[in-house]
Amino acid sequence: MARVALVTGGTRGIGEAISKGLKAAGLTVAANYGGNDEAANAFKAATGIPVFKFDVADPAACEAGIRQVESEVGPVEVLVNNAGITRDGMFHKMTYDQWTSVIKTNLDSAFTCTRPVIDGMRARGFGRIILISSINGQKGQMGQTNYSAAKAGVIGFAKALAQENAAKGVTVNVIAPGYIATEMVKAIPADVLKAKILPHIPVGRLGEVEEIARACVFLAGEDAGFITGSTLSINGGQFFV
Ligand code: CAA
């Protein structure tokens, strides 16, 4: 039987590429999304991957949504915690709502999406949990105190959870993408992107979503069983940890 993977935020951007990559690798994939029905329906029509709408910032919605995935698709053996948002702004101008919305969606989701699947993974003796962090959680980024805090937080979460579950066949790893050609990065003011970001990427270009997806497929596979608690930086040489 093909293993079942759930990708949060799996219908657009990096998540879309991960969903497609896991499917191409032979897994049965379910893709979560938060709000954009049009994009999710187009994704479903194009890929045949079922989509499940629930808010990763809402614990009860995640519990119910993941139960629905498990009853319709099967027990989740691979979880990719990818869903994320930005609400950029200098800290001295940041509102509490900008802060909490990013912390809830990008960090609380590590709890809300992992908690419903961890018991099953432990009981079955196999699991792959992959969290999508960011270069900006590793190095910090002006305009992103909220996002940098959340993305750094998931790295600590993964290191602790990896230790708790290593003996149960469940690995927990992080991918920290750099600047990838997605809508999120394209939303950066063009002058800032050109003057402040691109010159700092030694490879000389934005990354492609498939470059993240390929690493995710590897970490999700049987061959990656000795890799746990690690953070894989994929950033074109922009920052070395
Ligand atoms: N790197 C370096 N300098 C930056 C910068 C950045 N990313 N963003 C802004 N600055 C600089 C500006 O160029 C400007 O410098 P000067 O005064 O010398 O021109 C200064 O900071 C102030 O910027 P603004 O005038 O734009 O101030 P603002 O209050 O209107 O907006 C901002 C500030 C919200 C930070 C806005 O500039 C912005 O959105 N910047 C982009 C922030 C960013 O990089 N976000 C990453 C999004 S992609 C992502 O998050 C995905 C991922 O994981 C990598």
PDB file of all heavy atoms in Angstrom, residues 183-224:
ATOM      1  N   GLU A 183       4.460  33.337  -4.935  1.00  0.00           N
ATOM      2  CA  GLU A 183       3.686  34.583  -4.788  1.00  0.00           C
ATOM      3  C   GLU A 183       4.166  35.372  -3.566  1.00  0.00           C
ATOM      4  O   GLU A 183       4.187  36.599  -3.568  1.00  0.00           O
ATOM      5  CB  GLU A 183       2.200  34.255  -4.596  1.00  0.00           C
ATOM      6  CG  GLU A 183       1.492  33.873  -5.873  1.00  0.00           C
ATOM      7  CD  GLU A 183       0.081  33.366  -5.598  1.00  0.00           C
ATOM      8  OE1 GLU A 183      -0.607  33.913  -4.731  1.00  0.00           O
ATOM      9  OE2 GLU A 183      -0.305  32.389  -6.261  1.00  0.00           O
ATOM     10  N   MET A 184       4.547  34.642  -2.480  1.00  0.00           N
ATOM     11  CA  MET A 184       4.966  35.310  -1.248  1.00  0.00           C
ATOM     12  C   MET A 184       6.200  36.182  -1.491  1.00  0.00           C
ATOM     13  O   MET A 184       6.287  37.321  -1.034  1.00  0.00           O
ATOM     14  CB  MET A 184       5.262  34.253  -0.174  1.00  0.00           C
ATOM     15  CG  MET A 184       5.537  34.804   1.201  1.00  0.00           C
ATOM     16  SD  MET A 184       5.960  33.520   2.392  1.00  0.00           S
ATOM     17  CE  MET A 184       4.367  32.954   2.918  1.00  0.00           C
ATOM     18  N   VAL A 185       7.142  35.640  -2.227  1.00  0.00           N
ATOM     19  CA  VAL A 185       8.377  36.396  -2.490  1.00  0.00           C
ATOM     20  C   VAL A 185       8.124  37.473  -3.542  1.00  0.00           C
ATOM     21  O   VAL A 185       8.656  38.584  -3.461  1.00  0.00           O
ATOM     22  CB  VAL A 185       9.514  35.434  -2.885  1.00  0.00           C
ATOM     23  CG1 VAL A 185      10.687  36.191  -3.479  1.00  0.00           C
ATOM     24  CG2 VAL A 185       9.966  34.639  -1.656  1.00  0.00           C
ATOM     25  N   LYS A 186       7.259  37.155  -4.505  1.00  0.00           N
ATOM     26  CA  LYS A 186       6.967  38.157  -5.545  1.00  0.00           C
ATOM     27  C   LYS A 186       6.219  39.353  -4.968  1.00  0.00           C
ATOM     28  O   LYS A 186       6.157  40.410  -5.585  1.00  0.00           O
ATOM     29  CB  LYS A 186       6.196  37.510  -6.694  1.00  0.00           C
ATOM     30  CG  LYS A 186       7.105  36.598  -7.534  1.00  0.00           C
ATOM     31  CD  LYS A 186       6.326  35.834  -8.589  1.00  0.00           C
ATOM     32  CE  LYS A 186       7.198  34.742  -9.211  1.00  0.00           C
ATOM     33  NZ  LYS A 186       6.396  33.668  -9.822  1.00  0.00           N
ATOM     34  N   ALA A 187       5.640  39.178  -3.747  1.00  0.00           N
ATOM     35  CA  ALA A 187       4.921  40.289  -3.095  1.00  0.00           C
ATOM     36  C   ALA A 187       5.876  41.279  -2.438  1.00  0.00           C
ATOM     37  O   ALA A 187       5.461  42.361  -2.027  1.00  0.00           O
ATOM     38  CB  ALA A 187       3.951  39.735  -2.057  1.00  0.00           C
ATOM     39  N   ILE A 188       7.151  40.924  -2.322  1.00  0.00           N
ATOM     40  CA  ILE A 188       8.135  41.866  -1.762  1.00  0.00           C
ATOM     41  C   ILE A 188       8.259  43.044  -2.721  1.00  0.00           C
ATOM     42  O   ILE A 188       8.313  42.840  -3.940  1.00  0.00           O
ATOM     43  CB  ILE A 188       9.515  41.171  -1.610  1.00  0.00           C
ATOM     44  CG1 ILE A 188       9.418  39.999  -0.638  1.00  0.00           C
ATOM     45  CG2 ILE A 188      10.581  42.149  -1.150  1.00  0.00           C
ATOM     46  CD1 ILE A 188      10.675  39.142  -0.585  1.00  0.00           C
ATOM     47  N   PRO A 189       8.309  44.279  -2.202  1.00  0.00           N
ATOM     48  CA  PRO A 189       8.478  45.431  -3.094  1.00  0.00           C
ATOM     49  C   PRO A 189       9.655  45.194  -4.060  1.00  0.00           C
ATOM     50  O   PRO A 189      10.736  44.762  -3.634  1.00  0.00           O
ATOM     51  CB  PRO A 189       8.771  46.582  -2.120  1.00  0.00           C
ATOM     52  CG  PRO A 189       8.159  46.147  -0.809  1.00  0.00           C
ATOM     53  CD  PRO A 189       8.257  44.655  -0.776  1.00  0.00           C
ATOM     54  N   ALA A 190       9.415  45.442  -5.351  1.00  0.00           N
ATOM     55  CA  ALA A 190      10.396  45.086  -6.389  1.00  0.00           C
ATOM     56  C   ALA A 190      11.757  45.718  -6.132  1.00  0.00           C
ATOM     57  O   ALA A 190      12.804  45.077  -6.339  1.00  0.00           O
ATOM     58  CB  ALA A 190       9.856  45.502  -7.757  1.00  0.00           C
ATOM     59  N   ASP A 191      11.762  46.966  -5.625  1.00  0.00           N
ATOM     60  CA  ASP A 191      13.048  47.630  -5.391  1.00  0.00           C
ATOM     61  C   ASP A 191      13.812  46.942  -4.256  1.00  0.00           C
ATOM     62  O   ASP A 191      15.039  46.787  -4.312  1.00  0.00           O
ATOM     63  CB  ASP A 191      12.835  49.122  -5.086  1.00  0.00           C
ATOM     64  CG  ASP A 191      11.842  49.362  -3.956  1.00  0.00           C
ATOM     65  OD1 ASP A 191      10.910  48.542  -3.800  1.00  0.00           O
ATOM     66  OD2 ASP A 191      11.998  50.352  -3.218  1.00  0.00           O
ATOM     67  N   VAL A 192      13.077  46.484  -3.241  1.00  0.00           N
ATOM     68  CA  VAL A 192      13.718  45.785  -2.116  1.00  0.00           C
ATOM     69  C   VAL A 192      14.284  44.452  -2.591  1.00  0.00           C
ATOM     70  O   VAL A 192      15.433  44.093  -2.282  1.00  0.00           O
ATOM     71  CB  VAL A 192      12.702  45.562  -0.960  1.00  0.00           C
ATOM     72  CG1 VAL A 192      13.287  44.647   0.111  1.00  0.00           C
ATOM     73  CG2 VAL A 192      12.294  46.899  -0.340  1.00  0.00           C
ATOM     74  N   LEU A 193      13.497  43.733  -3.372  1.00  0.00           N
ATOM     75  CA  LEU A 193      13.952  42.431  -3.870  1.00  0.00           C
ATOM     76  C   LEU A 193      15.227  42.587  -4.702  1.00  0.00           C
ATOM     77  O   LEU A 193      16.208  41.863  -4.506  1.00  0.00           O
ATOM     78  CB  LEU A 193      12.829  41.785  -4.709  1.00  0.00           C
ATOM     79  CG  LEU A 193      13.052  40.344  -5.151  1.00  0.00           C
ATOM     80  CD1 LEU A 193      13.158  39.411  -3.951  1.00  0.00           C
ATOM     81  CD2 LEU A 193      11.919  39.879  -6.063  1.00  0.00           C
ATOM     82  N   LYS A 194      15.198  43.570  -5.580  1.00  0.00           N
ATOM     83  CA  LYS A 194      16.326  43.760  -6.506  1.00  0.00           C
ATOM     84  C   LYS A 194      17.575  44.275  -5.771  1.00  0.00           C
ATOM     85  O   LYS A 194      18.688  43.778  -5.999  1.00  0.00           O
ATOM     86  CB  LYS A 194      15.910  44.763  -7.584  1.00  0.00           C
ATOM     87  CG  LYS A 194      16.849  44.806  -8.755  1.00  0.00           C
ATOM     88  CD  LYS A 194      16.204  45.521  -9.944  1.00  0.00           C
ATOM     89  CE  LYS A 194      17.261  45.761 -11.010  1.00  0.00           C
ATOM     90  NZ  LYS A 194      17.388  47.130 -11.431  1.00  0.00           N
ATOM     91  N   ALA A 195      17.383  45.241  -4.887  1.00  0.00           N
ATOM     92  CA  ALA A 195      18.546  45.892  -4.270  1.00  0.00           C
ATOM     93  C   ALA A 195      19.042  45.179  -3.021  1.00  0.00           C
ATOM     94  O   ALA A 195      20.244  45.174  -2.742  1.00  0.00           O
ATOM     95  CB  ALA A 195      18.201  47.341  -3.931  1.00  0.00           C
ATOM     96  N   LYS A 196      18.139  44.594  -2.243  1.00  0.00           N
ATOM     97  CA  LYS A 196      18.514  44.097  -0.913  1.00  0.00           C
ATOM     98  C   LYS A 196      18.576  42.581  -0.807  1.00  0.00           C
ATOM     99  O   LYS A 196      19.137  42.059   0.147  1.00  0.00           O
ATOM    100  CB  LYS A 196      17.527  44.615   0.141  1.00  0.00           C
ATOM    101  CG  LYS A 196      17.308  46.100   0.133  1.00  0.00           C
ATOM    102  CD  LYS A 196      18.375  46.836   0.922  1.00  0.00           C
ATOM    103  CE  LYS A 196      18.076  48.322   0.973  1.00  0.00           C
ATOM    104  NZ  LYS A 196      19.078  49.072   1.679  1.00  0.00           N
ATOM    105  N   ILE A 197      17.936  41.883  -1.713  1.00  0.00           N
ATOM    106  CA  ILE A 197      17.868  40.420  -1.541  1.00  0.00           C
ATOM    107  C   ILE A 197      18.654  39.690  -2.629  1.00  0.00           C
ATOM    108  O   ILE A 197      19.589  38.935  -2.330  1.00  0.00           O
ATOM    109  CB  ILE A 197      16.390  39.964  -1.476  1.00  0.00           C
ATOM    110  CG1 ILE A 197      15.755  40.542  -0.195  1.00  0.00           C
ATOM    111  CG2 ILE A 197      16.291  38.424  -1.486  1.00  0.00           C
ATOM    112  CD1 ILE A 197      14.273  40.381  -0.075  1.00  0.00           C
ATOM    113  N   LEU A 198      18.306  39.917  -3.882  1.00  0.00           N
ATOM    114  CA  LEU A 198      18.967  39.154  -4.957  1.00  0.00           C
ATOM    115  C   LEU A 198      20.493  39.240  -4.922  1.00  0.00           C
ATOM    116  O   LEU A 198      21.174  38.218  -5.119  1.00  0.00           O
ATOM    117  CB  LEU A 198      18.426  39.586  -6.329  1.00  0.00           C
ATOM    118  CG  LEU A 198      17.029  39.041  -6.657  1.00  0.00           C
ATOM    119  CD1 LEU A 198      16.495  39.661  -7.956  1.00  0.00           C
ATOM    120  CD2 LEU A 198      17.027  37.521  -6.764  1.00  0.00           C
ATOM    121  N   PRO A 199      21.080  40.422  -4.617  1.00  0.00           N
ATOM    122  CA  PRO A 199      22.555  40.470  -4.604  1.00  0.00           C
ATOM    123  C   PRO A 199      23.188  39.581  -3.535  1.00  0.00           C
ATOM    124  O   PRO A 199      24.381  39.299  -3.610  1.00  0.00           O
ATOM    125  CB  PRO A 199      22.851  41.953  -4.299  1.00  0.00           C
ATOM    126  CG  PRO A 199      21.603  42.687  -4.659  1.00  0.00           C
ATOM    127  CD  PRO A 199      20.477  41.745  -4.407  1.00  0.00           C
ATOM    128  N   HIS A 200      22.395  39.143  -2.563  1.00  0.00           N
ATOM    129  CA  HIS A 200      22.938  38.309  -1.479  1.00  0.00           C
ATOM    130  C   HIS A 200      22.770  36.810  -1.726  1.00  0.00           C
ATOM    131  O   HIS A 200      23.057  35.998  -0.846  1.00  0.00           O
ATOM    132  CB  HIS A 200      22.274  38.690  -0.148  1.00  0.00           C
ATOM    133  CG  HIS A 200      22.552  40.097   0.249  1.00  0.00           C
ATOM    134  ND1 HIS A 200      23.807  40.528   0.640  1.00  0.00           N
ATOM    135  CD2 HIS A 200      21.769  41.204   0.263  1.00  0.00           C
ATOM    136  CE1 HIS A 200      23.773  41.825   0.901  1.00  0.00           C
ATOM    137  NE2 HIS A 200      22.549  42.262   0.677  1.00  0.00           N
ATOM    138  N   ILE A 201      22.270  36.455  -2.898  1.00  0.00           N
ATOM    139  CA  ILE A 201      22.098  35.023  -3.205  1.00  0.00           C
ATOM    140  C   ILE A 201      23.222  34.614  -4.150  1.00  0.00           C
ATOM    141  O   ILE A 201      23.174  34.914  -5.354  1.00  0.00           O
ATOM    142  CB  ILE A 201      20.719  34.744  -3.851  1.00  0.00           C
ATOM    143  CG1 ILE A 201      19.592  35.297  -2.966  1.00  0.00           C
ATOM    144  CG2 ILE A 201      20.542  33.238  -4.087  1.00  0.00           C
ATOM    145  CD1 ILE A 201      18.189  35.158  -3.555  1.00  0.00           C
ATOM    146  N   PRO A 202      24.260  33.938  -3.633  1.00  0.00           N
ATOM    147  CA  PRO A 202      25.420  33.628  -4.477  1.00  0.00           C
ATOM    148  C   PRO A 202      25.082  32.852  -5.750  1.00  0.00           C
ATOM    149  O   PRO A 202      25.724  33.054  -6.788  1.00  0.00           O
ATOM    150  CB  PRO A 202      26.311  32.797  -3.541  1.00  0.00           C
ATOM    151  CG  PRO A 202      25.985  33.309  -2.185  1.00  0.00           C
ATOM    152  CD  PRO A 202      24.498  33.577  -2.224  1.00  0.00           C
ATOM    153  N   VAL A 203      24.079  31.994  -5.698  1.00  0.00           N
ATOM    154  CA  VAL A 203      23.717  31.251  -6.913  1.00  0.00           C
ATOM    155  C   VAL A 203      23.152  32.199  -7.977  1.00  0.00           C
ATOM    156  O   VAL A 203      23.127  31.873  -9.160  1.00  0.00           O
ATOM    157  CB  VAL A 203      22.755  30.080  -6.567  1.00  0.00           C
ATOM    158  CG1 VAL A 203      22.127  29.464  -7.805  1.00  0.00           C
ATOM    159  CG2 VAL A 203      23.505  28.990  -5.780  1.00  0.00           C
ATOM    160  N   GLY A 204      22.699  33.372  -7.550  1.00  0.00           N
ATOM    161  CA  GLY A 204      22.353  34.410  -8.515  1.00  0.00           C
ATOM    162  C   GLY A 204      20.921  34.398  -9.016  1.00  0.00           C
ATOM    163  O   GLY A 204      20.607  35.041 -10.023  1.00  0.00           O
ATOM    164  N   ARG A 205      20.063  33.696  -8.324  1.00  0.00           N
ATOM    165  CA  ARG A 205      18.654  33.638  -8.754  1.00  0.00           C
ATOM    166  C   ARG A 205      17.805  33.196  -7.575  1.00  0.00           C
ATOM    167  O   ARG A 205      18.332  32.717  -6.569  1.00  0.00           O
ATOM    168  CB  ARG A 205      18.496  32.626  -9.904  1.00  0.00           C
ATOM    169  CG  ARG A 205      18.865  31.188  -9.490  1.00  0.00           C
ATOM    170  CD  ARG A 205      18.507  30.169 -10.568  1.00  0.00           C
ATOM    171  NE  ARG A 205      19.010  28.826 -10.248  1.00  0.00           N
ATOM    172  CZ  ARG A 205      18.387  27.950  -9.458  1.00  0.00           C
ATOM    173  NH1 ARG A 205      17.251  28.257  -8.877  1.00  0.00           N
ATOM    174  NH2 ARG A 205      18.901  26.746  -9.226  1.00  0.00           N
ATOM    175  N   LEU A 206      16.476  33.363  -7.733  1.00  0.00           N
ATOM    176  CA  LEU A 206      15.552  32.779  -6.763  1.00  0.00           C
ATOM    177  C   LEU A 206      15.546  31.264  -6.941  1.00  0.00           C
ATOM    178  O   LEU A 206      15.846  30.749  -8.035  1.00  0.00           O
ATOM    179  CB  LEU A 206      14.131  33.318  -6.994  1.00  0.00           C
ATOM    180  CG  LEU A 206      13.938  34.823  -6.786  1.00  0.00           C
ATOM    181  CD1 LEU A 206      12.499  35.225  -7.145  1.00  0.00           C
ATOM    182  CD2 LEU A 206      14.259  35.243  -5.346  1.00  0.00           C
ATOM    183  N   GLY A 207      15.202  30.559  -5.889  1.00  0.00           N
ATOM    184  CA  GLY A 207      15.056  29.106  -6.010  1.00  0.00           C
ATOM    185  C   GLY A 207      13.742  28.747  -6.679  1.00  0.00           C
ATOM    186  O   GLY A 207      12.820  29.568  -6.769  1.00  0.00           O
ATOM    187  N   GLU A 208      13.662  27.517  -7.144  1.00  0.00           N
ATOM    188  CA  GLU A 208      12.423  27.015  -7.748  1.00  0.00           C
ATOM    189  C   GLU A 208      11.711  26.121  -6.741  1.00  0.00           C
ATOM    190  O   GLU A 208      12.365  25.425  -5.949  1.00  0.00           O
ATOM    191  CB  GLU A 208      12.745  26.189  -9.012  1.00  0.00           C
ATOM    192  CG  GLU A 208      13.404  26.986 -10.128  1.00  0.00           C
ATOM    193  CD  GLU A 208      12.498  28.095 -10.667  1.00  0.00           C
ATOM    194  OE1 GLU A 208      11.257  27.966 -10.599  1.00  0.00           O
ATOM    195  OE2 GLU A 208      13.057  29.117 -11.123  1.00  0.00           O
ATOM    196  N   VAL A 209      10.387  26.118  -6.792  1.00  0.00           N
ATOM    197  CA  VAL A 209       9.616  25.320  -5.826  1.00  0.00           C
ATOM    198  C   VAL A 209       9.999  23.832  -5.885  1.00  0.00           C
ATOM    199  O   VAL A 209      10.040  23.149  -4.857  1.00  0.00           O
ATOM    200  CB  VAL A 209       8.094  25.487  -6.015  1.00  0.00           C
ATOM    201  CG1 VAL A 209       7.648  26.868  -5.564  1.00  0.00           C
ATOM    202  CG2 VAL A 209       7.658  25.222  -7.451  1.00  0.00           C
ATOM    203  N   GLU A 210      10.317  23.361  -7.074  1.00  0.00           N
ATOM    204  CA  GLU A 210      10.668  21.935  -7.211  1.00  0.00           C
ATOM    205  C   GLU A 210      11.970  21.609  -6.468  1.00  0.00           C
ATOM    206  O   GLU A 210      12.190  20.459  -6.084  1.00  0.00           O
ATOM    207  CB  GLU A 210      10.822  21.542  -8.686  1.00  0.00           C
ATOM    208  CG  GLU A 210       9.522  21.564  -9.491  1.00  0.00           C
ATOM    209  CD  GLU A 210       9.069  22.958  -9.912  1.00  0.00           C
ATOM    210  OE1 GLU A 210       9.877  23.914  -9.798  1.00  0.00           O
ATOM    211  OE2 GLU A 210       7.906  23.099 -10.346  1.00  0.00           O
ATOM    212  N   GLU A 211      12.808  22.628  -6.283  1.00  0.00           N
ATOM    213  CA  GLU A 211      14.075  22.383  -5.570  1.00  0.00           C
ATOM    214  C   GLU A 211      13.824  22.123  -4.090  1.00  0.00           C
ATOM    215  O   GLU A 211      14.622  21.471  -3.420  1.00  0.00           O
ATOM    216  CB  GLU A 211      15.038  23.556  -5.813  1.00  0.00           C
ATOM    217  CG  GLU A 211      15.489  23.587  -7.274  1.00  0.00           C
ATOM    218  CD  GLU A 211      16.364  24.780  -7.632  1.00  0.00           C
ATOM    219  OE1 GLU A 211      15.950  25.929  -7.403  1.00  0.00           O
ATOM    220  OE2 GLU A 211      17.466  24.545  -8.168  1.00  0.00           O
ATOM    221  N   ILE A 212      12.730  22.633  -3.573  1.00  0.00           N
ATOM    222  CA  ILE A 212      12.326  22.323  -2.200  1.00  0.00           C
ATOM    223  C   ILE A 212      11.599  20.971  -2.177  1.00  0.00           C
ATOM    224  O   ILE A 212      11.836  20.134  -1.301  1.00  0.00           O
ATOM    225  CB  ILE A 212      11.413  23.432  -1.633  1.00  0.00           C
ATOM    226  CG1 ILE A 212      12.088  24.807  -1.764  1.00  0.00           C
ATOM    227  CG2 ILE A 212      11.031  23.124  -0.192  1.00  0.00           C
ATOM    228  CD1 ILE A 212      13.432  24.937  -1.093  1.00  0.00           C
ATOM    229  N   ALA A 213      10.749  20.769  -3.153  1.00  0.00           N
ATOM    230  CA  ALA A 213       9.946  19.538  -3.188  1.00  0.00           C
ATOM    231  C   ALA A 213      10.836  18.295  -3.260  1.00  0.00           C
ATOM    232  O   ALA A 213      10.559  17.286  -2.596  1.00  0.00           O
ATOM    233  CB  ALA A 213       8.987  19.575  -4.374  1.00  0.00           C
ATOM    234  N   ARG A 214      11.900  18.350  -4.042  1.00  0.00           N
ATOM    235  CA  ARG A 214      12.760  17.158  -4.182  1.00  0.00           C
ATOM    236  C   ARG A 214      13.382  16.770  -2.845  1.00  0.00           C
ATOM    237  O   ARG A 214      13.496  15.591  -2.518  1.00  0.00           O
ATOM    238  CB  ARG A 214      13.845  17.404  -5.240  1.00  0.00           C
ATOM    239  CG  ARG A 214      13.314  17.335  -6.656  1.00  0.00           C
ATOM    240  CD  ARG A 214      14.438  17.244  -7.684  1.00  0.00           C
ATOM    241  NE  ARG A 214      15.146  18.510  -7.861  1.00  0.00           N
ATOM    242  CZ  ARG A 214      14.782  19.469  -8.713  1.00  0.00           C
ATOM    243  NH1 ARG A 214      13.722  19.318  -9.471  1.00  0.00           N
ATOM    244  NH2 ARG A 214      15.484  20.581  -8.819  1.00  0.00           N
ATOM    245  N   ALA A 215      13.784  17.758  -2.060  1.00  0.00           N
ATOM    246  CA  ALA A 215      14.364  17.459  -0.744  1.00  0.00           C
ATOM    247  C   ALA A 215      13.309  16.880   0.189  1.00  0.00           C
ATOM    248  O   ALA A 215      13.582  15.970   0.986  1.00  0.00           O
ATOM    249  CB  ALA A 215      14.959  18.734  -0.146  1.00  0.00           C
ATOM    250  N   CYS A 216      12.116  17.399   0.072  1.00  0.00           N
ATOM    251  CA  CYS A 216      11.022  16.925   0.920  1.00  0.00           C
ATOM    252  C   CYS A 216      10.709  15.459   0.601  1.00  0.00           C
ATOM    253  O   CYS A 216      10.501  14.649   1.516  1.00  0.00           O
ATOM    254  CB  CYS A 216       9.804  17.821   0.690  1.00  0.00           C
ATOM    255  SG  CYS A 216       8.539  17.601   1.909  1.00  0.00           S
ATOM    256  N   VAL A 217      10.681  15.135  -0.665  1.00  0.00           N
ATOM    257  CA  VAL A 217      10.428  13.742  -1.068  1.00  0.00           C
ATOM    258  C   VAL A 217      11.504  12.831  -0.483  1.00  0.00           C
ATOM    259  O   VAL A 217      11.207  11.751   0.034  1.00  0.00           O
ATOM    260  CB  VAL A 217      10.380  13.628  -2.614  1.00  0.00           C
ATOM    261  CG1 VAL A 217      10.386  12.166  -3.052  1.00  0.00           C
ATOM    262  CG2 VAL A 217       9.143  14.348  -3.160  1.00  0.00           C
ATOM    263  N   PHE A 218      12.737  13.280  -0.525  1.00  0.00           N
ATOM    264  CA  PHE A 218      13.822  12.462   0.034  1.00  0.00           C
ATOM    265  C   PHE A 218      13.620  12.248   1.535  1.00  0.00           C
ATOM    266  O   PHE A 218      13.685  11.123   2.028  1.00  0.00           O
ATOM    267  CB  PHE A 218      15.182  13.114  -0.234  1.00  0.00           C
ATOM    268  CG  PHE A 218      16.308  12.408   0.474  1.00  0.00           C
ATOM    269  CD1 PHE A 218      16.671  11.118   0.108  1.00  0.00           C
ATOM    270  CD2 PHE A 218      16.960  13.001   1.539  1.00  0.00           C
ATOM    271  CE1 PHE A 218      17.687  10.439   0.787  1.00  0.00           C
ATOM    272  CE2 PHE A 218      17.969  12.336   2.226  1.00  0.00           C
ATOM    273  CZ  PHE A 218      18.328  11.049   1.843  1.00  0.00           C
ATOM    274  N   LEU A 219      13.352  13.326   2.275  1.00  0.00           N
ATOM    275  CA  LEU A 219      13.184  13.204   3.737  1.00  0.00           C
ATOM    276  C   LEU A 219      11.967  12.352   4.091  1.00  0.00           C
ATOM    277  O   LEU A 219      11.916  11.757   5.170  1.00  0.00           O
ATOM    278  CB  LEU A 219      13.059  14.596   4.374  1.00  0.00           C
ATOM    279  CG  LEU A 219      14.335  15.432   4.392  1.00  0.00           C
ATOM    280  CD1 LEU A 219      14.037  16.844   4.895  1.00  0.00           C
ATOM    281  CD2 LEU A 219      15.417  14.781   5.258  1.00  0.00           C
ATOM    282  N   ALA A 220      10.981  12.305   3.195  1.00  0.00           N
ATOM    283  CA  ALA A 220       9.765  11.514   3.453  1.00  0.00           C
ATOM    284  C   ALA A 220       9.981  10.021   3.210  1.00  0.00           C
ATOM    285  O   ALA A 220       9.159   9.199   3.621  1.00  0.00           O
ATOM    286  CB  ALA A 220       8.630  12.015   2.567  1.00  0.00           C
ATOM    287  N   GLY A 221      11.085   9.678   2.554  1.00  0.00           N
ATOM    288  CA  GLY A 221      11.265   8.294   2.096  1.00  0.00           C
ATOM    289  C   GLY A 221      11.893   7.379   3.133  1.00  0.00           C
ATOM    290  O   GLY A 221      12.377   7.798   4.178  1.00  0.00           O
ATOM    291  N   GLU A 222      11.867   6.089   2.800  1.00  0.00           N
ATOM    292  CA  GLU A 222      12.439   5.059   3.675  1.00  0.00           C
ATOM    293  C   GLU A 222      13.940   5.293   3.862  1.00  0.00           C
ATOM    294  O   GLU A 222      14.490   5.018   4.928  1.00  0.00           O
ATOM    295  CB  GLU A 222      12.247   3.666   3.054  1.00  0.00           C
ATOM    296  CG  GLU A 222      10.834   3.364   2.569  1.00  0.00           C
ATOM    297  CD  GLU A 222       9.850   3.122   3.698  1.00  0.00           C
ATOM    298  OE1 GLU A 222      10.265   2.651   4.774  1.00  0.00           O
ATOM    299  OE2 GLU A 222       8.648   3.426   3.490  1.00  0.00           O
ATOM    300  N   ASP A 223      14.610   5.786   2.828  1.00  0.00           N
ATOM    301  CA  ASP A 223      16.069   5.931   2.867  1.00  0.00           C
ATOM    302  C   ASP A 223      16.551   6.992   3.846  1.00  0.00           C
ATOM    303  O   ASP A 223      17.746   7.077   4.127  1.00  0.00           O
ATOM    304  CB  ASP A 223      16.603   6.289   1.471  1.00  0.00           C
ATOM    305  CG  ASP A 223      16.511   5.115   0.517  1.00  0.00           C
ATOM    306  OD1 ASP A 223      16.278   3.983   0.998  1.00  0.00           O
ATOM    307  OD2 ASP A 223      16.660   5.325  -0.693  1.00  0.00           O
ATOM    308  N   ALA A 224      15.631   7.816   4.338  1.00  0.00           N
ATOM    309  CA  ALA A 224      16.032   8.936   5.211  1.00  0.00           C
ATOM    310  C   ALA A 224      15.831   8.607   6.693  1.00  0.00           C
ATOM    311  O   ALA A 224      15.816   9.514   7.526  1.00  0.00           O
ATOM    312  CB  ALA A 224      15.267  10.186   4.826  1.00  0.00           C
TER     313      ALA A 224
END
